[in-house]
Amino acid sequence: MIQRYDTGPRMSEMVVHNGTVYLAGQIAEDDSADIAGQTRQVLTAIDELLARAGSDKSKILRAQIFLVDLAEFGAMNAVWESWVVPGHTPARATVQAALANPKWKIEIVVTAAL
C-alpha cells in the first residue's frame, strides 16, 4: 500500500511505502531568516512530517541538502550537527544549487525508515 500525505496537483509532501518514508524537499516558511534560521525551520518541518508518519530523525536513512551558497556550509552544519542524533547520522550529500525561490537558502530531502 502507498500512503500519500498533503497531495496536491504537482506533488505529495510525503509518501510512505513498504516501511520507508519519502519526504518532498523541505524549505523554510520564513525566507527572510539567515541560513541558520532557515535550516532550523527546515529541520523542524522534517521532524513534524516524520512524526506524522510514525518515524523520527533517528531513522533517517539518507539526506540530500541543497545550498544556494556553499560559503554557508559551516553555519548550516552547525545547526545540522546539533539536530541529528549521535550515532544515527544518515548518509548525506550536500550540493550547491539554484532553488526555485531566490530567497530560499536551503532545501533538504530525506528518506527514512518507519
Side-chain angles (χ1 to χ4, degrees):
M1 177 158 97
I2 299 173
Q3 295 174 281
R4 299 178 196 280
Y5 294 75
D6 304 330
T7 300
R10 182 173 298 139
M11 59 179 252
S12 294
E13 198 66 39
M14 177 171 58
V15 176
V16 178
H17 177 264
N18 201 26
T20 304
V21 182
Y22 303 89
L23 299 189
Q26 299 301 302
I27 48 90
E29 290 286 325
D30 176 7
D31 60 19
S32 69
D34 65 6
I35 188 62
Q38 287 198 25
T39 302
R40 278 191 288 278
Q41 290 176 55
V42 169
L43 297 176
T44 296
I46 290 169
D47 281 333
E48 291 169 357
L49 284 166
L50 291 176
R52 284 179 63 195
S55 186
D56 64 67
K57 64 187 172 186
S58 72
K59 297 176 183 173
I60 296 176
L61 305 170
R62 180 178 186 208
Q64 296 170 289
I65 301 173
F66 303 92
L67 279 179
V68 170
D69 184 355
L70 287 179
E72 297 183 317
F73 185 69
M76 178 277 298
N77 270 331
V79 176
W80 173 268
E81 289 167 6
S82 70
W83 175 77
V84 292
V85 179
H88 296 274
T89 52
R92 190 184 105 166
T94 304
V95 299
Q96 184 172 20
L99 300 180
N101 179 335
K103 293 182 180 181
W104 295 338
K105 298 179 179 295
I106 187 169
E107 182 170 354
I108 301 178
V109 180
V110 301
T111 302
L114 280 177

